[in-house]
Amino acid sequence: MFTRSYSYQSSLNREALKSRLIGSHVKIHNLDFEVTDDNHVLTIVPHAEQIDEIKTLPITTVSFEEGSGSTKVKIIAKMRKLDQGGPMLMIILVLLLLITGTLLFFAFKDHLSSFIVLGIGVLIFAIFWVRMEMGYFDYVKKVISYVKNTEKQMV
């Protein structure tokens, strides 16, 4: 649910792309991300030890597949295992509220209570999703744009 992938074709070869990215750092929201090489796959990991507040951060992998005259670049961003608990609890809470609201509506014919519970569930999900868009998904978008812009600077 929180994994994002992006692919594009590059006119540069694998080694040129890797050499430009390996060891580089990118700052996103005052947080440092480092690019490392791990068995022919580049990994972009955050240095989270420098932050005090709780943030949901991605670990991004960049893989390359060389073809005839071009390289397919595949970027996959996944949530760190450490950060998965909070968002999953929120999703479970919202699902329980939606199930409870549906049961109140159909089984007990309590329309007012069911609409209140369903409304609370939708409101919690909306707030959760907006915060994820401003945090986690914003990190993912900026890491992807960093990889793409690094290639453009080479051309």
Side-chain angles (χ1 to χ4, degrees), residues 6 22 25 36 58 65 95 97 99 118 127 131 135 150 154:
Y6 180 78
I22 291 176
H25 291 262
T36 59
E65 293 177 20
L95 284 175
L97 286 170
I99 290 169
L118 288 171
I127 292 169
R131 291 192 48 105
T150 300
M154 293 175 65

Side-chain angles (χ1 to χ4, degrees), residues 21-125:
L21 288 168
I22 291 176
S24 63
H25 291 262
V26 59
K27 276 224 183 268
I28 302 172
H29 300 294
N30 295 322
L31 186 62
D32 185 43
F33 285 75
E34 183 179 6
V35 182
T36 59
D37 188 8
D38 186 28
N39 293 335
H40 305 296
V41 174
L42 299 182
T43 306
I44 304 172
V45 290
H47 288 282
E49 62 271 2
Q50 64 195 17
I51 59 172
D52 296 327
E53 64 270 4
I54 297 173
K55 292 187 179 232
T56 304
L57 301 170
I59 292 182
T60 308
T61 57
V62 182
S63 59
F64 307 99
E65 293 177 20
E66 284 193 302
S68 57
S70 67
T71 304
K72 181 178 180 181
V73 180
K74 185 166 186 170
I75 305 168
I76 300 173
K78 294 181 181 178
M79 191 177 292
R80 296 184 312 167
K81 296 263 188 233
L82 176 70
D83 297 334
Q84 288 179 351
M88 292 308 291
L89 285 175
M90 290 301 293
I91 296 297
I92 290 170
L93 172 69
V94 168
L95 284 175
L96 287 175
L97 286 170
L98 295 177
I99 290 169
T100 302
T102 304
L103 281 174
L104 285 172
F105 186 82
F106 289 112
F108 299 108
K109 307 291 188 217
D110 188 358
H111 298 289
L112 180 62
S113 297
S114 68
F115 290 139
I116 290 172
V117 171
L118 288 171
I120 290 170
V122 169
L123 179 67
I124 289 173
F125 183 76

Side-chain angles (χ1 to χ4, degrees), residues 120-138:
I120 290 170
V122 169
L123 179 67
I124 289 173
F125 183 76
I127 292 169
F128 165 73
W129 199 257
V130 166
R131 291 192 48 105
M132 289 295 286
E133 284 290 333
M134 292 182 345
Y136 173 75
F137 292 122
D138 190 44

Side-chain angles (χ1 to χ4, degrees), residues 8-14 17 69-73 151 155:
Y8 68 95
Q9 293 288 334
S10 172
S11 59
L12 300 172
N13 65 12
R14 174 189 320 195
L17 290 168
S70 67
T71 304
K72 181 178 180 181
V73 180
E151 176 200 348
V155 177

